[in-house]
């Protein structure tokens, strides 16, 4: 029997304990510091996120309607949870709705889409008011053109705004499809997949609003009355 | 070595991107525009300077066997601070840099400087080293970002430079363009260096 080849040098109690204590102290100080920073930035982050949502909602709803982005309702379609924002006229009547939805079928996966619909009193006349891309990872120069000129609300200010392809289109499966699939939405050059992803999300949200109009209106009324959620 | 030398080495002789070829993941990923490149560079500079300072101050107290976990915790703390502050006050920049801010934690320049420099030098020198290396990193990102944005998108800091007739070279904003641009930058730097050596 030979002695074991690997022998641990004898460790004193302190040499074992010191690394543990040091790591605990460093981690605890890091946690304390981060807690302070998180607390300090929390309001600003919440405000920035709200401002971002508000910008999208205001762009997709018709010009002149009032909106309170802190009052939302939600609904589920095909396993997706959609957030709804009500657009109200001067009398407080809900005339339009902005829907925050998404598609997983972009060329690089997730595409976040905000889309507005009006008028809500006549389901047969329901139209897309506008679209706004919240987030995407599409190819720069090709699929990324789904965001072209979307910060402005006047198509004349900008040569080729993607959102104009949806503006005032009726919610109808024969229209809200890419032209290659038999619809009327013209696909972006070399970015049919990106166009199809946005179009699919818009049609899905539109049909959902159309068929569940009354329930959605009731939810939005309740949200507006019930204060912030 | 003088403080100036420690500061200046990051720009040319030991430029982290163009000389040491470290931290290439963000270099290739976020240099599609000059704005993103500078945002990324300055975020990394802040993390590098602060982590170098803290690592240097604690270098005698951190036992050797746990030094890497300790460094990573320190670095991750500063990265998280940058992430939260950017999100609070520069929301659009945070949106376009996205995932690459948290990934500064694993940027090898930062751990590399902590291990190779800050754990052996004084706090002041370590900060100077971090600042120099960080700004050298920022400069390399900025040059590459500018080239890619102008050629690939026809803009500079978002301003359109050319008329309607300009057709951008799309490949420059795509990942291959990052490799091509970086390759030319390194080649150009080596050429200048060789000319200098030959007198």
């Amino acid at each position: 029997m030979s002695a074991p080849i690997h022998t641990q040098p004898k460790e004193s109690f302190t040499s074992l304990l010191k690394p543990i204590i040091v790591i605990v102290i460093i981690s605890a100080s890091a946690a304390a510091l981060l807690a302070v920073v998180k607390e300090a930035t929390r309001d600003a982050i919440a405000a920035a996120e709200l401002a971002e949502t508000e910008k999208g909602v205001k762009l997709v709803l018709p010009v002149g309607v009032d909106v309170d982005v802190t009052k939302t309702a939600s609904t589920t379609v095909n396993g997706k949870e959609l957030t709804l924002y009500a657009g109200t006229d001067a009398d407080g009547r809900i005339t339009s709705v902005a829907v925050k939805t998404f598609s997983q079928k972009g060329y690089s996966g997730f595409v976040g889409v905000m889309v507005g619909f009006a008028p809500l009193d006549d389901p047969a006349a329901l139209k897309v008011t506008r679209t706004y891309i919240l987030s995407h990872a599409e190819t720069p120069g090709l699929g990324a053109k789904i965001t072209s000129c979307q910060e402005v609300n006047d198509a004349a200010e900008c040569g080729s705004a993607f959102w104009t392809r949806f503006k005032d289109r009726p919610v109808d499966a024969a229209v809200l499809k890419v032209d290659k699939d038999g619809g009327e939405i013209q696909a972006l050059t070399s970015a049919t997949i990106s166009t199809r992803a946005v179009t699919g999300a818009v049609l899905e949200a539109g049909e959902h609003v159309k068929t569940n109009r009354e329930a959605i209106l009731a939810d939005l009324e309740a949200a507006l009355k019930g204060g912030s959620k | 070595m003088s403080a100036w030398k420690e500061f200046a080495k990051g720009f040319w002789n030991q430029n982290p991107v163009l000389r040491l070829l470290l931290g290439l993941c963000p270099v290739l990923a976020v240099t599609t525009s000059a704005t993103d490149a500078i945002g990324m560079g300055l975020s990394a500079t802040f993390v590098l300077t602060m982590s170098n300072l803290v690592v240097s101050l604690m270098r005698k107290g951190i036992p050797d066997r746990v030094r890497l976990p300790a460094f990573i915790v320190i670095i991750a703390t500063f990265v998280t601070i940058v992430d939260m502050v950017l999100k609070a006050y520069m929301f659009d920049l945070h949106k376009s840099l996205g995932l690459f801010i948290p990934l500064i934690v694993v940027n090898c320049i930062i751990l590399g400087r902590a291990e190779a420099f800050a754990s052996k030098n004084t706090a002041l020198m370590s900060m100077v080293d971090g600042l120099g290396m960080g700004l050298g990193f920022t400069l390399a990102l900025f040059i590459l970002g500018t080239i890619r944005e102008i050629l690939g998108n026809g803009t500079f800091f978002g301003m359109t430079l050319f008329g309607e007739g300009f057709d951008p070279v799309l490949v420059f904003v795509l990942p291959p363009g990052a490799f091509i641009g970086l390759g030319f930058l390194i080649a150009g730097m080596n050429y200048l260096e060789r000319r200098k050596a030959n007198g």
Side-chain angles (χ1 to χ4, degrees):
Chain A
M1 289 286 278
S2 58
I5 299 165
H6 300 290
T7 47
Q8 290 285 329
K10 262 206 161 169
E11 305 239 22
S12 69
F13 187 60
T14 44
S15 79
L16 269 175
L17 205 61
K18 194 186 168 203
I20 300 173
I21 294 172
V22 169
I23 279 290
V24 168
I25 291 175
I26 291 177
S27 306
S29 335
L33 181 61
L34 287 179
V36 171
V37 176
K38 188 176 171 68
E39 199 56 39
T41 54
R42 192 173 57 190
D43 291 347
I45 289 178
E49 280 174 345
L50 202 64
E52 175 77 4
T53 310
E54 191 166 14
K55 189 173 84 180
V57 170
K58 283 201 162 145
L59 278 171
V60 300
L61 289 179
V63 182
V65 303
D66 285 327
V67 61
D68 181 352
V69 291
T70 60
K71 291 171 181 168
T72 64
S74 63
T75 179
T76 313
V77 54
N78 300 337
K80 292 180 186 176
E81 169 129 345
L82 311 183
T83 311
L84 305 163
Y85 305 87
T88 50
D89 64 10
D91 303 328
R93 255 180 355 110
I94 299 174
T95 54
S96 50
V97 61
V99 183
K100 185 176 169 186
T101 180
F102 62 89
S103 169
Q104 294 282 8
K105 293 179 184 161
Y107 193 68
S108 310
F110 189 90
V111 181
V113 180
M114 182 80 78
V115 53
F117 298 101
L120 281 180
D121 47 7
D122 181 7
L126 193 68
K127 282 180 183 169
V128 177
T129 51
R130 233 204 91 160
T131 57
Y132 180 84
I133 306 300
L134 297 164
S135 63
H136 75 96
E138 302 303 282
T139 317
L142 298 172
K145 284 188 182 154
I146 54 176
T147 64
S148 61
C149 303
Q150 68 171 0
E151 309 289 329
V152 294
N153 217 344
D154 181 2
E157 276 180 44
C158 201
S160 54
F162 179 67
W163 56 266
T164 55
R165 299 178 190 207
F166 294 95
K167 192 170 169 57
D168 297 332
R169 298 275 186 185
V171 176
D172 180 347
V175 175
L176 285 180
K177 262 191 192 148
V178 178
D179 47 7
K180 285 183 191 168
D181 303 336
E184 292 180 14
I185 304 295
Q186 191 198 346
L188 285 166
T189 312
S190 311
T192 308
I193 293 173
S194 309
T195 315
R196 198 176 278 149
V198 177
T199 312
V202 169
L203 178 63
E204 181 187 58
E207 291 194 317
H208 185 71
V209 170
K210 202 170 179 175
T211 48
N212 301 288
R213 188 179 62 99
E214 275 156 23
I216 284 171
L217 269 174
D219 282 354
L220 286 173
E221 297 272 9
L224 287 182
K225 284 204 188 87
S228 61
K229 188 178 148 186
Chain B
M1 222 193 262
S2 73
W4 171 249
K5 249 179 153 174
E6 290 298 350
F7 179 72
K9 69 176 191 278
F11 288 88
W12 187 271
N13 285 337
Q14 291 188 37
N15 186 293
V17 177
L18 301 173
R19 266 299 152 86
L20 309 180
L21 300 191
L22 284 177
L24 290 189
C25 168
V27 172
L28 298 171
V30 302
T31 52
T32 48
S33 77
T35 317
D36 287 4
I38 287 189
M40 179 70 200
L42 292 182
S43 305
T45 304
F46 171 79
V47 174
L48 188 51
T49 310
M50 295 308 290
S51 68
N52 262 9
L53 170 68
V54 174
V55 165
S56 173
L57 288 175
M58 299 180 68
R59 68 187 188 278
K60 298 204 172 88
I62 298 175
D64 213 34
R65 61 167 65 170
V66 292
R67 68 180 195 288
L68 289 182
F71 294 169
I72 288 289
V73 171
I74 293 166
I75 294 166
T77 307
F78 288 111
V79 170
T80 313
I81 290 176
V82 168
D83 192 45
M84 290 192 284
V85 170
L86 278 186
K87 195 166 186 191
Y89 302 107
M90 293 163 143
F91 197 78
D92 286 335
L93 182 65
H94 184 270
K95 213 167 109 181
S96 64
L97 291 178
L99 185 64
F100 291 97
I101 291 291
L103 279 179
I104 296 176
V105 176
V106 289
N107 188 318
C108 34
I109 298 168
I110 293 168
L111 187 60
R113 293 325 287 175
E115 171 81 4
F117 196 94
S119 62
K120 301 185 184 91
N121 288 280
T122 61
L124 182 68
M125 280 301 191
S126 299
M127 274 186 88
V128 170
D129 173 78
L131 201 60
M133 280 288 176
L135 292 177
F137 178 69
T138 310
L139 181 71
L141 256 73
F142 172 65
I143 295 173
L144 190 57
T146 305
I147 294 172
R148 291 182 67 194
E149 191 184 345
I150 291 178
L151 292 180
N153 206 23
T155 59
F156 181 54
F157 282 109
M159 290 177 298
T160 310
L161 291 181
F162 310 103
E164 283 286 304
F166 178 74
D167 200 12
V169 191
L170 204 54
V171 72
F172 271 96
V173 284
L174 300 179
F179 283 101
I180 295 169
L182 185 65
F184 274 106
L185 275 184
I186 294 169
M189 199 158 173
N190 285 347
Y191 172 75
L192 288 177
E193 190 70 11
R194 190 164 303 166
R195 247 188 23 174
K196 205 166 74 180
N198 294 342

